[in-house]
Amino acid sequence: MKYITLAIVLFSFTLLTSCDKGFKDMNINPNSYNTPVIGSLFSYNIIKTAGSDDDNTLYPNDKLAGAMMQYFASLNPYQWTGDKYLPKTGYSDGLFNAVFNVELKENEQILSLTRGIPDLINEYAIACIWHVYIFHRVTDMYGNVPYSQAGQGYINGVYKPKYDLQSDIYPAMLNLLDSAAGELDPSKTSFGAADYIYNGDPAAWKRFAYSLMLRLGMRLTKVDAASAQKWVQKAIAGGVMQSNADIAKLNHTDGSELNFYWDGEELRGGEGVPPSAKGLGYGKMGQTFVNYLKNTNDPRLPFYITLWPGNADPSQLPTSTLPGVQKGLPNGYDYSSIKTLIPGWTDDMLAEYSEINLNTVGSNSTPSIFQSYAEVELYLAEAALRGWGPGDPKTHYENAVTASMQVEALYPGGMSVPASAISAYLSANPYTGGTFDQQMQQIHTQLWVSLFMNNIEVYANWRRTGYPVLIPVNYPGNATGGTISRRLPYPQSEASLNTDNYKAAVQAQGPDLFTTRVWWDKN
Amino acid sequence: MGYSLLKTTKIMTFYEKLKTKHILRIGVGIAMLLITSAQLLFADSVKSQTVEEVEISIELKHASLVEAFSKIEAQSPFHFMYRDDEVKNIRNLNVPAGRQSVAVCLKRLLANTSLVYRQIDNHILVTSRSENRNPVVAATSSGASAVIYDRGIKGQVTNARGEPLSGVSITLKGSSMGTSTDAAGRFSINIPEEGILVFSFVGFKTRELPVKGRNSFDIQLEDQTQALNEAVVTALGIKKEKKALTYAVTELNGSEFTQARENNLGNALSGKIAGVNASGTATGPGGSSRVIIRGNGSLSGDNQPLYIVNGVPINNAVQGTAPGTYGGIDRGDGLISINPDDIETISVLKGGTAAALYGSRAANGVILITTKSGRVQKGIGVEYTSTYTQENPLDIPDWQYEYGSGSRGIKPTSKSEAIANGRISWGAKLDGSPVVQPDGVARPYSAQKHNVRNFYNNGTTFSNTLALSGGNEGLNFRFSVSDMDNKGIVPNSSIDRKTFNLSVSANLAKKLIFEGRAQYNIELDKNRTYIADFSKNPNASVGLIATNIDIRTLAPGYDAQGFETPWSDYVFVVNPYFAASKVKNGDERRRFIGSFSTRYNFTDYLYARARVGIDYFNINAYDIEPTGLLYNPSGSMTTSQSTTYETNAEALLGFDKKFGHFTVNAIAGGNKMHNKLSGIDISSGLFNVPFAYFITNGKSPVFTESYRESAINSLFASADIAYNSFLFLNLTGRKDWFSTLSTASNSLFYPSVGLSFVFSDIWKSRPAWLNYGKIRSSWAQVGGGAPDPYGLSLAYVAPSSSHLGQPLMNISGNTIPNSKLEPYTSTTTELGIELRGLNSRVGADVTVYDRTTTNDIVSASVPLSSSYTSVLLNVGKIRNRGIELLLTGSPVRSPKGFNWDVSFNMAYNQNTVLKIADGLTSLALPGAEARTENGFVYHYEKMPFGMISGYKAKKDDKGNTVYSKDNGLPIQSDFMALGRGVPPLTLGLSNTFGYRNFTLGFLVDAKFGSKMYTSTNAYGTYYGLDKRTVAGNVRENGVALKGVDEDGNAFSRTLDAQDYYQGIAFTLTDQFVSDAGFVKLRQLTLGYNLPRGVLSKTPFQSASLSLVARNLLLLYSQLKNVDPESNYSTSNGQGLENFGVPPTRSYGLNLMVKF
């Protein structure tokens, strides 16, 4: 018995003899990869940039930019705050948080894994172009943001990135596009199928890089026309998109959060216009947009909007998308004040107001379009108008309208605009020329119609050009004194966690308010 | 010794019969639970047959008496006991043939002798007629039965005041002989000339006295609480004399937890121990608790103590998605598995020295839970405890009831307006006129003040425990079965917990002791309530419903199709009835906690012990967002399964010997800890077919796998050296190796030293009033590794689904890894003094301590612009200094039996964050952000741990408030600390009054010095419920504002009250930060013990009935509208609340019987 016990005790001690044996292996997560697959990181990066949740979709694109651009309207003062310029930190923080925490994270990692490796030059250049795509949205929305030190928490141990001036960020982004476009080399390997956008095609990426350069260059017209001209001309010379086949987009399928079109998913959810709400959802189509579509007999109307029975039952779309029955909700009203506008208003009347068509432009399998060919043609129209680019504004304008109508073929729902309808529209709404301002109005009002659901871009373009002409609302308690916001405030977490850099950014830019203008939005 | 052992084969029979009889008694016990009226009937059936009843057929010729006994034994259930020398010479006996009773036969046999017989059960004791002694049957330690002739001993047992104690158990050590005292405290017992008498009684210190030829014992028993030489359980389960301790240990008896109960043991500790800050959460009856000993020692680590059950560390992690900014469910922590009826003692090891032997995880103190075990006793003991309580929700919010639903002073006039204003009370003056409500029905526009009472149910808790125990010198056991059935106040929520607990120890051949303890739990929880956010959380909806709407009009919460009926402006603010009846979640936890140990005593001073402990549990949980939920009309669900286990293998050598004036007690050993969690979560995506709730009905199922594994290996040693029982030196050392750190820096050695001096023992001229005095001091270090594995390098993981056929990969987690992490160190210095005087009727125990953590591993928040949310850094420094005071007294000791005992404890802990990280003077606590996104918890250098932070209104140099020209609202100040979230001052006062068989006890519990950010009040202000929104007629007159504008020009404007209050509700944090001090009547019990006289007519050995109550009264609170204990989180970010489950007052009955 004594020996048995002794044996047990001794055995127990032997378990302790090697005090950290095996600890190194134990501390490696068995459910993780030890080496990254760059292509798979890029696939993920594209998906998350298209939409990671409501932070970079529903909030900035629909409830804020979408409502401020008066595509959407809502009676609910606590939701869709862009309708009434009411402050709501969760909404205004969204894009900032998503860009830096999600969109940038894998992108920075890809850049650091490919930088300086000649064999991976295409992967690096493509990641650079994507880097610019990610960044320009956040700086357009907030102004000065961390750029040179952003996303370096792991790579360089920068825990508190400094904010760069937008006046420095824009040249940096444009230069990066320029160098990346120049580095793309069709003779080298690329992402291949891991690149959802262009299947790794360097030539296609080059067109996208220059198209993006066109967009960014045009952004500078108010603040620095000479630079704008330089970059726009460089972009056109480099070669921009030629057709809808060149569109930068990510296709979606219904499924999990990695598959579906986030805007569509969110709009069919509780904060949008769920079919189950039977027309009483929050996010109605705005009167400004609906009336414009109706007044111009726009054949895109059924593609864009419907009454709720069409959303609940697609077989009813033919009747519920008829232009005559559409009604847009005026911006700036709540459930009580709407009665002062519409005498005899009753609850159920909300169901008579149009909703975004969830079967087409708002479907879960709608593609995320990062930049469309129609947009490129409209910027080319402006370039022509300014004398910076080839062709005449009218042709570019008509190309844009045609492309915008033909693009429906890329969407679910099986809608299309016949050629006859396109030409009917163009003859009913011809490009009339006129003064510079009149032409700008026509080009950029068309951009507003063509780029529906690229609302963040439309909002930036509106701030630059002032078109379309929108009548601001003045709801009690609004944050802007009854003007459409010029930017979004920074998240409070930046003020509390990155205090010194935040303060310096505000010092340089002006108070952290909805009404402060970003650098290129010169008054 | 002069006693003869019976060597007949009857011994086995005796045991078998003993067994049968006890099984019958157990049968009685169980029957009792079912049909109490049948008890006496059963009891009768187990009586032995008498010598008159049993007939034998016998014929003896010239037989010896021993032969005669043997023949009778062969034919009867009896067996004989006698003294050899009195019997062996009696021979030549004759008994004629024939059938006769044993009695008749014995009469013949003993007719001409000096012997007489007596039947005791199945034993026939044969003794000399001349001796006036009673023989007694005893089972000896060798397992044989013996007859021992002896003397009668008489005596009386009294308490320290000389009052008789009835029911004191008196046993002969090492035997099953025993008796108990009568109502006058008197007893008589027959024992051998030699031996040790053990006097024991619940609540009193057990005394052992050698017989040494004495005939009478008049002894006093000391109260447990006053016992000076009491032993307490310390680290590694080693019992030490309390006076030898060099550090503070508090031991609580299990009975403190069995009467008025808490589902979570942690909550039950509140107010009971100086320096222990226990707090519950407002997350429902199955929620977690947070227990902090001597302040928070780590900036971002787990600051809760290590819980050890019978030597086994148990997992106390909060399960589920711990409630944070956007809600979650608190699926309870590990303490919920502990059944109070099984607890023998709880030892709280507060200081570093006390905990040093347990290593890194004991840096925050240790709570040792020892469960009950079997004892050497006669027969099998049956204990039955039953508690039934009812929990009533308290209606705390005190809103304005002047204005009703609506906005800008206007009542709703349509159903959709009523819905849009369902939680908005900025309407018109309540005037009783008919106004449409969210269900479309017009009702009088008048105040509804009892929505809390009307929505919530009264909860009930019914606990039953049956325990069987028994044992002899060789083997003892205890087995218990327990069921706790709780129906929560939130409709349709329930908890059922079954516990099976077995403890067995075997002492084989004296040198080898095996001990095994096993506990198995089955816990089923249904519909735990969602907390902190609005989605699926009925509590927030009940809290915010407009003042004129009766919550019951929202019932049943769904329409004919089963779709949620809307009632407010925001789909995520759930209809509370829909949340309670259609939203479903549940979890099932099966848990095994076991410890198995072997001890071998090489000699009387050297032993070896090997022990293995296991805590293994499995949780299956599901969460259903039902079809028809407004914000997710298709519905979806998730399920999760996880298995967690921790094993600890420990081996040690122990040495215990006296050398002259010195006693040395030393151990050395090692421990190997291995911890592993693996689990899987599956989410369904939206349901394909409505109202069918299973994963594969989802259109996009996604799974995620969770896995973590870590280990700590340790070597440790300790030595306790005592000099003449008044000077004690304690030394420990331990070295840990951590798997979570890089192999270059993964180990740490830390020592401790302590000294205690019982000066009263050698102070010859000490004042007469002083009975006992001791000073103690200690210094200890404890270190710790990184809490989580895989923190050293960046990892890439794959989501379970792909897109368009392409695999995906992403960076795992949001924490920046750090390969250079090292262990941290926590150093504690403590000094204490204990005094008792006036015949031990007053006592004081004061401790001061300093506990400093250096190299703390800080999970520092970084701004999202770094692409991550936190980074692990090895730089923190935090200090806790404090004082603990315990005063005890017995103000009244009346000879008539009225006693009053009082105990007061107080602790003040001053916590200072000395350093966070280079260049980092503040640190956001992860997840500690209120749902308003305007209240936070941060650490700041040179401030206490966990400051509630946010914004005030900005002031100019002259102190004028700065207003915005645009909208007239105050402009936010810089972000700043607004008050500490953890109370530095905790107080507890307990009183016990005893009168004859009645006991009345109550506990008052208070905490002061902290603040709380009340999201409830911020929302209450935003939605026009808070009284400030009507004070001074602001709704009619507006809010007059005066100050300066951004440009420094004079500013004055009158703002509409709704604009003003909605404008500040989520921007001016300080408006909703208030002092959170409180005093609660925590516990009240009124007990009645059945007197001996009554008990003697029942099969019970003891029985008591108590009226019990918990959280009876909020005597004082500095907070309005919310309960001061409505934190929703047990994380380090304390001081945030948001519409928790209302606090409850619980009261009921507790019954305890033993037989």
Side-chain angles (χ1 to χ4, degrees), chain A residues 1-2 5 19 27 33 76 79 89 100-101 105-106 109 151 196 251 254 271 282 339 347 494 496, chain B residues 413-417 512 569-572 600 699 713 790 796 802-803 811 813-814 863 865 867 933 938:
Chain A
M1 191 72 90
K2 192 173 186 171
T5 316
C19 285
N27 206 28
Y33 301 101
N76 190 317
Q79 300 295 318
T89 51
F100 288 104
N101 187 212
K105 198 172 178 186
E106 277 76 20
Q109 206 66 15
Y196 292 123
N251 287 331
D254 204 1
E271 296 183 49
Y282 298 148
K339 285 182 291 190
D347 298 346
E494 285 293 311
S496 57
Chain B
T413 55
S414 67
K415 185 176 170 180
S416 68
E417 274 180 68
L512 187 58
D569 56 294
Y570 190 29
V571 285
F572 282 96
Y600 186 79
K699 73 176 178 185
N713 290 345
Y790 321 133
Y796 298 91
S802 61
H803 183 55
I811 294 170
N814 265 320
S865 42
S867 282
E933 296 170 337
Y938 272 64

Side-chain angles (χ1 to χ4, degrees), chain B residues 192-495:
Chain B
E193 275 103 6
E194 293 305 325
I196 292 170
L197 280 183
V198 181
F199 295 80
S200 59
F201 192 46
V202 175
F204 289 80
K205 185 183 157 5
T206 298
R207 273 186 82 173
E208 295 187 357
L209 293 169
V211 177
K212 282 189 185 157
R214 286 168 68 179
N215 288 329
S216 93
F217 283 84
D218 286 337
I219 73 150
Q220 283 196 344
L221 290 186
E222 283 173 303
D223 281 6
Q224 191 83 281
T225 50
Q226 298 194 332
L228 304 182
N229 298 321
E230 142 193 21
V232 293
V233 178
T234 66
L236 303 178
I238 293 161
K239 281 201 170 190
K240 290 185 183 174
E241 248 188 306
K242 202 165 181 187
K243 72 188 219 180
L245 298 178
T246 60
Y247 43 79
V249 172
T250 307
E251 188 168 270
L252 298 175
N253 201 288
S255 61
E256 298 229 18
F257 304 96
T258 48
Q259 288 193 315
R261 291 154 186 258
E262 289 277 350
N263 291 342
N264 190 304
L265 185 64
N267 299 352
L269 293 172
S270 188
K272 287 190 171 147
I273 307 161
V276 175
N277 181 5
S279 45
T281 46
T283 60
S288 309
S289 64
R290 179 175 173 89
V291 176
I292 296 299
I293 300 175
R294 289 185 175 169
N296 293 280
S298 173
L299 293 167
S300 43
D302 179 11
N303 280 303
Q304 298 210 57
L306 177 66
Y307 289 90
I308 305 262
V309 176
N310 299 322
V312 181
I314 63 160
N315 185 311
N316 194 38
V318 176
Q319 304 297 326
T321 45
T325 312
Y326 302 101
I329 311 179
D330 178 355
R331 291 201 195 276
D333 54 27
L335 286 182
I336 191 98
S337 305
I338 306 296
N339 172 24
D341 292 314
D342 288 334
I343 299 172
E344 174 86 39
T345 59
I346 292 182
S347 276
V348 179
L349 312 186
K350 290 188 245 181
T353 331
L357 273 180
Y358 276 114
S360 58
R361 294 188 304 165
N364 305 306
V366 178
I367 294 187
L368 293 175
I369 298 168
T370 307
T371 61
K372 289 175 180 163
S373 52
R375 293 208 172 115
V376 175
Q377 67 178 87
K378 193 177 174 185
I380 288 181
V382 179
E383 271 182 64
Y384 173 65
T385 314
S386 180
T387 310
Y388 181 85
T389 56
Q390 192 176 74
E391 289 91 39
N392 295 352
L394 300 185
D395 199 345
I396 294 208
D398 180 24
W399 297 133
Q400 63 86 9
Y401 291 103
E402 294 174 46
Y403 296 84
S405 167
S407 203
R408 304 194 177 277
I410 301 165
K411 311 168 186 175
T413 55
S414 67
K415 185 176 170 180
S416 68
E417 274 180 68
I419 290 172
N421 290 294
R423 58 167 179 166
I424 300 163
S425 299
W426 284 105
K429 270 215 141 122
L430 292 170
D431 55 8
S433 63
V435 168
V436 66
Q437 296 198 351
D439 59 352
V441 178
R443 295 188 185 82
Y445 200 55
S446 48
Q448 300 297 326
K449 298 184 180 179
H450 302 298
N451 280 329
V452 169
R453 208 176 301 164
N454 289 336
F455 178 75
Y456 292 98
N457 292 339
N458 286 333
T460 59
T461 309
F462 191 30
S463 306
N464 288 287
T465 301
L466 175 68
L468 310 175
S469 62
N472 55 36
E473 271 290 283
L475 185 79
N476 63 55
F477 80 99
R478 179 179 182 275
F479 175 68
S480 75
V481 167
S482 163
D483 178 69
M484 190 272 287
D485 184 29
N486 171 282
K487 305 254 182 297
I489 61 169
V490 178
N492 300 318
S493 65
S494 67
I495 308 173

